[in-house]
Amino acid sequence: MTELDKNYSPERAETTHYERWEASGAFSADPGSEQEPYTIMMPPPNVTGSLHMGHALTFTIQDVLIRYHRMLGRDTLWQPGTDHAGIATQMVVERQLAEQEIKRVDLGREAFVEKVWEWKERSGGTITRQLRRLGASPDWPRERFTMDEGLSNAVRKVFIELHRQGLIYRDKRLVNWDPKLHTAISDLEVQQVEVKGRLWHFRYPLEGREGEYIVVATTRPETMLGDSGVAVHPEDARYTEVVGACCVLPLVGRRLPIVADEYPDLEAGSGAVKMTPAHDFNDYEVGRRHDLELINIFDRDACLNDNVPEKYRGMDRYTARQAVVEDMEALGLVEKVEDHVHSVPHGDRSGVAIEPWLTDQWYVDAKTLAKPCIEAVEQGRTAFVPKQWENTFFAWMRDIQPWCISRQLWWGHRIPAWYAPDGTIFVAEDEAAALQAAERHFGEAVVLEQDPDVLDTWFSSALWPFSTLGWPSEAAEEQRFLQRYYPGDVLVTGFDIIFFWVARMMMMGLHFMGEVPFRHVYIHALVRDQHGQKMSKSKGNIIDPLDIIDEYGCDALRFTLAALAVPGRDVKLDPARIAGYRNFATKLWNAARFCLMNGAAVAPDYDPGANRQVLNRWIVGKVLETRRELDSALGAYRLNDAAALLYHFVWNQFCDWYIEFAKPLLDSDDPGAQAETRATMGWAMNNLLRLLHPFMPYITEELWARFKQDSDGLLISALLPDFDAGLVDADAAAEMDWVIRLIGEVRAVRSEANVPPAAKIDLLVKDAGPVTGGRLTAHASLIQRLARTSGVELAPGDLPPGTVQIVIDEATVALPLADVIDISAERARLEKEIDKLAGEVAKLEKKLSNPQFLAKAPPEVVNEQKTRRDDATATIDRLEAALGRLRAA
RNA sequence: GGGCGGUUAGCUCAGUUGGUAGAGCGCCUGCUUUACACGCAGGAUGCCGGGAGUUCGAGUCUCUCACCGCCCACCA
C-alpha cells in the first residue's frame, strides 16, 4: 500500500481525474441501456458567461443529483450547452470592436455576425471550461449551442407552426423600446428603478374661456408635446362641467379634447391627466377608448422628431424636458413643482430608461399557450420544489401578456418571414420557399425582403428540452433519443428565471411534444454573501468560485454549497464554512490514511454478514443505514440534510468511534479479529467513498484507487451499496451505544473533577445493561484506551464507598478517585445532574397528573412520558446513592 | 396596492407529519492521546420577534402586531 501524504492536495486530484472520467465515457448517456433513464437538462449558461457563485450552486446541485443517480445504476443524461444570449453577446462583441474604433453598422450585418461567430469560437468556451473545474459531469459530446443548425431548425419550425396556428402574429402596439440598444424588449427585461424626480403641475388653458385652466400633473414634461387629450374621472365633480370641452396644448397649440374615463384616480394629483397615447401604456388604452390621436414624437434614440414644434426637434428627452419646463414657466403655466419619488422602467441590459414606442413587432399568444401549463401544474404532472413557487407560477401564467419576440438585433435567429412590396407576409422555412409561396399567391414572381429582426433569446431556450434531443429531426436515432429522454426528471434553476424560461419551456414543450418537459422543477435560491447581501461588482462583495477552488479545493466548495442548499431559502456563503468543509476533506483523508497504515483493504472474499466482532457488525449496519438516509434526503431534494448526514457520519461515528475502537483490535494478537477488522474497515471506507462521491468527487476518486477491489473501475462508475436490513444488528448497536456513553461519562467526570490527564483509574461496573457478562470484558480494552482507565471489571457485590459514581440507565459505575480529585467539585457535579433531572421529573409529573393529558393524548405518548419519568426517577435514586457513597469517603 | 419569505445560541443557519430545542463557526478549560492542531477531550450560551387563540401539549397550526427581505402591478 502506498503511503498517503499528511494532507490532501486538491490540485493534483483535480488535474488528473477529470480527464479520466471523461475518457471513460462515464458522463455519457447510453440510449441502448436497459436501465431507466434519468435526465436533467442543464440550463444553458450564456456563451458570454464566466462562472459565478450562482452557477456554482446550480451546477453543483445538478451534478450531485446526476452522480447520485448514476451510482444508483440509472442511465443518466445531463444535457449541456450554451445560450447565444442575443443582446449580451452582441454587446460584448460591439464593445470589443469599439476598442478598434469599428462600429457595427460600418461592418454591415453579415460581417458583424461573422465577427460574433469568430468571437464565439475564440472565447465562447470559457464557461464550459470552468464548469469542468467545478467537476461537473454532463454528457459533453452532446453539448449544444442554441444557434446550432439543428436547434435553429427547431426554432424555424416552431415559428412557422405557431404562425400557421395563429399563435404567432405581427402587431403594431406600444412596446418597451430601448433607445440605447435600439430594440424592443419584453416586459420581463424591464426593471423598475426608483428615481427621485419631480411632479410638474401644468396649466392647460381651456378653449374659449379666457383665464381658465385645467391643471394636469406630469413627471415627464417633454411628453406633453405628444399630448392628444386630457382625461378626468366621470364622477369627478370638479370636472363634470368641462367634459366634452377642449383645452389648448401650450407650446404646440393643438386642441385637446377633455374626456371622461375610469382611468384617472380621484385622489391623485389634480384628478386630470394629460394623455400621451403614443408614449404611455395607460394613455394608449385610454386613447383607444376615446379615439385620441396617436402622436409619435420620438425617434429610435428617444430624441424628438418632426412631430413637435421646430425648436424642440432633435433634442434628447432630457434636454427637451428642461426646455419645455422653462418655456412653460416663461408662459406662467407652471402651477407648482413637487419632489416626487417614483419608479421608472429601465432596460435590464442597457440600464437606460425605456421608452414606450409604437412599432410593428412579432408576438406570441402566450395566453393560449399558458392554459395547458396551468393545468399540468394543477394536476401535478410538473411539481415545483418547494411547492410555494407554484403560486408564483400560477399568478403570472393566469395574467400573462402577449410575448414580444422580435428584437432589432443582428445576433440571433433571424425571423423566417419575408415581405412582398405590398406588405404581404410570407412565413417560410427559407427564402426559396417564401418566393415559391409568394409566386403562388401573386401568380407571378415578386421580390421579397426578409424581416431584418431576430428572435428573443428565450424563444430558442424555450425549446431546449427537446431541440437538444434532436427534434424535429425525423432520423430514427434522434427520434429514439427524444422518446427516451423526454421529459426530463428535474429542472434545477433559480427563481429569477421561472418566468423567462421555465414557463416558456412548459408552453413549448406541452404544445409541441404534448407532454411537460420535466416532472420536477427544483427552485434553489440566490447566493448571497455572509451578511445576506446580494453579491455585486459595485458592492465589491463577490466571492469568485474559482478563487475558492484554488484556495480550498473544489470538493470543499461543492460540499459547502450542498450543505447550504436548503430548499426555499437564500444561500449565505460564509468563507468560514468553506474552511470548515475543507477541514472535513482533510479529516476524511486522514481517516483513509489511518486505514491504509493499518492494512485495511477490501478483501475479495469478505462477507460483512460473517463478522464476529460486535464493533464490526455495528459499523456495517451504520454504513448501510446512512445509505438509506441519503436516499430519503436526496429524494426530497434536501441536499443540506444529505450533506449534514454524511459529515456527521464520517466525522462523529466513523472517525470518532469506529477508528478509535478499531485500534486495539488492529493491535490485537487475535489474528482472526485483526483480519476481520482490517477487512471491515476497508469495506466501510470503500462504501463511505461511494456515498460521498456525488458531493466530493475528487478526493473520493483519489482515495478510491486504494480502497477498491481490483475489478472495480473508477469510482464515478461504481454503484452505491445495497441496503440490507439483515446486516443491521440492533444488539450490536445497543451494545456499542452503551460503551460510547460510558466512555463519554467517564471523560466528563475526569474533566469536570479535574483528574490529571495522565492518571489511570479503575472502573467497577454494577448492572452493565446491554453489555452483560463477558461482553464487558470484551470491551475492556476499548474503554481503557478511550477513557484512560487501567481496568474495567464487574463489581462482585455492592459498590464500595469513597468512589465517584456514574449512572448510565440501570448501570452504576464506580471510579475509585476519592484521593485524586476535588470532592466538592464532584459533589457539585452530582448535585447539578440531580437538579436537572428533578426539573425534568417535575415537568413530567405535572403532565402525567393532568387527567386531560391521560385521556386525550395517544397511549404511546403517555407511555413514553411515563417511561421517561421512571427512568429519570431511577437515575436520581442512583445519583443520590452515589452522592451518599461519596460523602462516606 | 397584490403576493411570498424571514425573525431560533455571539455570528451564519437547520429543525419535513404538533410530543424532551440542534449544527457549523466563534468562545471558555484542558491535551506532544504516534490518522488528522485543517486535530483530540470537556464545557458555557436560547421566555424559538411581541400578543392572542386552537390543543392534553405549540419553535412547529390559526389570527394579529412589529421589523427585515424579495416578487408582481402601479405611480398622471
Side-chain angles (χ1 to χ4, degrees):
Chain A
M1 277 298 158
T2 5
E3 277 278 332
L4 294 181
D5 291 340
K6 198 165 165 184
N7 281 308
Y8 164 61
S9 70
E11 315 82 63
R12 210 186 48 204
E14 287 167 25
T15 45
T16 53
H17 297 306
Y18 199 89
E19 283 173 25
R20 299 171 64 209
W21 290 333
E22 210 175 341
S24 78
F27 293 179
S28 293
D30 175 11
S33 159
E34 304 272 295
Q35 304 297 328
E36 199 189 340
Y38 179 82
T39 307
I40 296 181
M41 288 290 157
M42 175 189 291
N46 284 357
V47 66
T48 52
S50 58
L51 196 78
H52 55 63
M53 235 2 132
H55 288 128
L57 174 68
T58 198
F59 295 132
T60 295
I61 293 170
Q62 291 171 52
D63 196 50
V64 167
L65 292 172
I66 280 289
R67 284 178 188 263
Y68 167 73
H69 283 91
R70 194 180 281 136
M71 294 180 86
L72 287 177
R74 300 276 289 271
D75 168 32
T76 54
L77 171 63
W78 188 13
Q79 171 64 51
T82 48
D83 190 287
H84 69 278
I87 297 181
T89 311
Q90 178 160 330
M91 281 172 77
V92 166
V93 176
E94 276 188 277
R95 214 174 298 134
Q96 286 197 346
L97 289 173
E99 282 167 17
Q100 307 162 45
E101 300 193 350
I102 303 173
K103 282 187 183 153
R104 172 167 62 105
V105 282
D106 298 340
L107 274 182
R109 182 169 194 140
E110 250 174 74
F112 177 76
V113 169
E114 192 51 45
K115 287 273 180 207
V116 181
W117 277 109
E118 279 170 24
W119 177 89
K120 193 253 173 191
E121 294 314 317
R122 205 171 51 242
S123 311
T126 304
I127 186 80
T128 52
R129 264 199 312 281
Q130 293 172 332
L131 258 171
R132 287 173 156 90
R133 287 216 53 198
L134 191 65
S137 62
D139 192 345
W140 288 119
R142 295 200 52 82
E143 181 180 350
R144 296 288 184 270
F145 179 55
T146 46
M147 296 260 286
D148 282 350
E149 196 187 334
L151 277 70
S152 300
N153 287 340
V155 165
R156 275 193 298 275
K157 166 128 181 166
V158 164
F159 189 96
I160 293 166
E161 279 287 301
L162 288 177
H163 179 260
R164 198 174 50 75
Q165 294 162 359
L167 295 170
I168 281 184
Y169 55 91
R170 193 160 167 80
D171 197 9
K172 189 185 206 74
R173 28 187 292 169
L174 280 189
V175 292
N176 304 299
W177 182 259
D178 188 316
K180 185 175 170 195
L181 299 175
H182 298 145
T183 181
I185 56 178
S186 77
D187 295 346
L188 287 173
E189 293 160 279
V190 173
Q191 297 294 322
Q192 299 294 334
V193 179
E194 283 256 298
V195 171
K196 276 185 203 155
R198 287 177 166 185
L199 192 59
W200 285 269
H201 294 251
F202 286 165
R203 296 172 176 154
Y204 286 5
L206 287 169
E207 188 183 47
R209 305 198 200 183
E210 195 62 34
E212 286 186 54
Y213 307 96
I214 186 161
V215 175
V216 295
T218 181
T219 54
R220 301 198 55 196
E222 70 280 12
T223 62
M224 72 173 282
L225 301 172
D227 282 2
S228 59
V230 170
V232 298
H233 196 278
E235 282 155 32
D236 194 335
R238 293 171 291 181
Y239 299 112
T240 17
E241 200 233 330
V242 295
V243 171
C246 282
C247 56
V248 179
L249 183 62
L251 310 181
V252 178
R254 189 160 43 238
R255 291 176 73 229
L256 306 181
I258 299 172
V259 300
D261 192 276
E262 304 280 331
Y263 166 67
D265 183 344
L266 286 163
E267 314 291 317
S270 63
V273 190
K274 66 191 255 325
M275 288 293 121
T276 320
H279 297 292
D280 182 284
F281 290 99
N282 288 308
D283 295 4
Y284 181 78
E285 293 302 320
V286 175
R288 268 177 26 158
R289 290 197 282 271
H290 299 278
D291 220 8
L292 299 177
E293 201 183 343
L294 282 163
I295 304 163
N296 180 10
I297 59 165
F298 290 118
D299 64 14
R300 60 179 214 150
D301 292 300
C303 291
L304 291 161
N305 64 17
D306 291 353
N307 291 330
V308 301
E310 199 161 349
K311 83 165 276 198
Y312 305 105
R313 289 179 198 167
M315 289 183 180
D316 82 27
R317 37 190 175 163
Y318 301 107
T319 315
R321 178 173 304 175
Q322 236 176 333
V324 164
V325 168
E326 278 167 21
D327 294 346
M328 288 295 281
E329 266 166 0
L331 291 171
L333 293 176
V334 179
E335 172 127 335
K336 62 176 171 179
V337 185
E338 299 168 300
D339 287 332
H340 184 66
V341 178
H342 61 133
S343 328
V344 176
H346 284 66
D348 64 355
R349 287 284 166 190
S350 65
V352 304
I354 66 106
E355 197 62 60
W357 205 41
L358 200 59
T359 54
D360 287 304
Q361 302 288 344
W362 290 95
Y363 292 89
V364 168
D365 176 358
K367 190 116 202 145
T368 302
L369 291 176
K371 271 196 193 113
C373 304
I374 295 169
E375 281 166 24
V377 175
E378 279 170 347
Q379 293 163 0
R381 283 188 284 142
T382 290
F384 282 69
V385 180
K387 201 171 172 53
Q388 75 234 22
W389 289 109
E390 288 177 9
N391 291 329
T392 309
F393 177 82
F394 287 140
W396 193 68
M397 288 299 248
R398 284 176 182 144
D399 189 33
I400 197 163
Q401 300 298 309
W403 173 19
C404 176
I405 50 170
S406 39
R407 296 289 181 276
Q408 288 66 51
L409 306 172
W410 286 351
W411 175 242
H413 300 279
R414 186 96 178 250
I415 291 176
W418 282 261
Y419 301 98
D422 73 345
T424 310
I425 301 172
F426 297 93
V427 169
E429 183 63 31
D430 53 26
E431 185 159 22
L435 284 167
Q436 237 175 21
E439 195 169 342
R440 270 201 308 278
H441 179 82
F442 291 111
E444 59 174 336
V446 289
V447 179
L448 296 180
E449 205 167 322
Q450 187 172 4
D451 192 310
D453 293 350
V454 299
L455 289 164
D456 182 3
T457 292
W458 296 102
F459 191 88
S460 53
S461 325
L463 317 182
W464 188 253
F466 50 94
S467 64
T468 52
L469 296 177
W471 189 91
S473 166
E474 306 278 331
E477 195 191 339
E478 276 151 349
Q479 291 275 312
R480 198 165 54 127
F481 219 86
L482 190 59
Q483 183 77 27
R484 182 169 172 80
Y485 298 106
Y486 187 97
D489 289 84
V490 60
L491 180 82
V492 177
T493 191
F495 63 82
D496 48 333
I497 56 173
I498 290 179
F499 305 142
F500 274 115
W501 193 45
V502 179
R504 288 160 178 174
M505 281 190 288
M506 293 284 289
M507 292 182 197
M508 296 302 191
L510 278 163
H511 194 76
F512 286 94
M513 303 297 295
E515 182 51 290
V516 293
F518 24 72
R519 301 290 176 206
H520 291 155
V521 180
Y522 174 67
I523 301 289
H524 62 249
L526 237 57
V527 183
R528 298 170 179 278
D529 73 6
Q530 66 264 48
H531 307 296
Q533 297 287 310
K534 218 168 173 167
M535 290 188 193
S536 72
K537 276 183 197 151
S538 54
K539 284 184 201 145
N541 62 346
I542 290 194
I543 306 174
D544 183 338
L546 298 169
D547 292 346
I548 297 293
I549 290 175
D550 286 341
E551 189 172 350
Y552 298 99
C554 177
D555 290 339
L557 174 65
R558 290 173 56 113
F559 204 87
T560 306
L561 292 171
L564 293 176
V566 178
R569 296 272 298 241
D570 281 349
V571 170
K572 286 177 196 159
L573 191 63
D574 186 349
R577 197 96 191 228
I578 305 172
Y581 291 120
R582 186 268 326 266
N583 296 353
F584 175 59
T586 308
K587 187 74 180 177
L588 177 70
W589 184 259
N590 278 289
R593 192 161 154 255
F594 174 84
C595 293
L596 291 175
M597 288 166 77
N598 285 280
V602 176
D605 54 347
Y606 171 68
D607 171 13
N611 276 345
R612 305 177 59 89
Q613 299 292 320
V614 174
L615 175 68
N616 292 330
R617 299 173 70 80
W618 169 73
I619 198 67
V620 165
K622 286 281 181 189
V623 168
L624 295 179
E625 280 179 337
T626 303
R627 159 40 217 287
R628 196 171 52 171
E629 287 168 37
L630 180 69
D631 286 346
S632 67
L634 288 182
Y637 297 103
R638 300 191 60 91
L639 275 76
N640 61 314
D641 283 353
L645 173 76
L646 295 170
Y647 181 94
H648 287 116
F649 182 66
V650 169
W651 201 311
N652 304 118
Q653 299 282 332
F654 189 77
C655 291
D656 285 355
W657 296 109
Y658 181 70
I659 285 186
E660 293 305 325
F661 284 155
K663 284 175 181 173
L665 285 172
L666 291 168
D667 283 348
S668 130
D669 40 18
D670 174 348
Q674 197 179 47
E676 179 189 298
T677 303
R678 281 183 184 154
T680 306
M681 194 174 260
W683 177 93
M685 268 308 287
N686 174 297
N687 283 304
L688 275 184
L689 295 175
R690 298 179 202 231
L691 297 179
L692 279 166
H693 181 259
F695 298 85
M696 306 187 113
Y698 286 110
I699 188 173
T700 53
E701 188 71 72
E702 179 82 5
L703 290 171
W704 177 250
R706 287 140 164 128
F707 290 95
K708 66 175 186 177
Q709 293 193 20
D710 292 344
S711 57
D712 297 340
L714 293 168
L715 177 54
I716 191 176
S717 307
L719 296 177
L720 293 175
D722 285 328
F723 179 76
D724 177 353
L727 291 177
V728 180
D729 183 335
D731 292 339
E735 202 168 311
M736 292 315 300
D737 285 347
W738 191 88
V739 172
I740 287 170
R741 279 179 67 196
L742 172 67
I743 293 166
E745 294 289 338
V746 174
R747 283 170 170 173
V749 168
R750 294 185 62 119
S751 175
E752 283 179 46
N754 300 318
V755 177
K760 299 249 174 174
I761 50 180
D762 290 311
L763 293 185
L764 268 181
V765 181
K766 189 172 147 63
D767 304 328
V771 188
T772 49
R775 305 293 320 143
L776 184 66
T777 324
H779 292 300
S781 59
L782 304 184
I783 297 166
Q784 283 175 37
R785 188 175 184 123
L786 296 184
R788 319 203 82 203
T789 58
S790 48
V792 182
E793 280 166 35
L794 275 177
D798 282 344
L799 290 171
T803 52
V804 170
Q805 327 236 317
I806 294 165
V807 175
I808 302 164
D809 299 334
E810 58 268 55
T812 306
V813 181
L815 294 77
L817 283 172
D819 46 347
V820 207
I821 60 145
D822 178 352
I823 300 274
S824 63
E826 172 59 10
R827 186 177 298 137
R829 186 187 72 87
L830 289 172
E831 280 165 355
K832 191 174 127 195
E833 214 166 314
I834 291 169
D835 276 356
K836 205 174 120 193
L837 284 169
E840 201 182 318
V841 169
K843 250 173 36 190
L844 290 164
E845 284 291 359
K846 196 177 157 199
K847 207 182 240 185
L848 287 165
S849 60
N850 179 351
Q852 299 281 2
F853 174 70
L854 296 174
K856 294 189 182 170
E860 63 270 21
V861 172
V862 175
N863 283 332
E864 195 193 316
Q865 307 288 316
K866 273 186 186 156
T867 310
R868 204 177 289 161
R869 178 198 57 188
D870 296 345
D871 289 353
T873 311
T875 305
I876 289 174
D877 289 347
R878 292 188 202 100
L879 288 167
E880 296 279 7
L883 199 55
R885 279 188 291 265
L886 189 67
R887 286 198 189 98

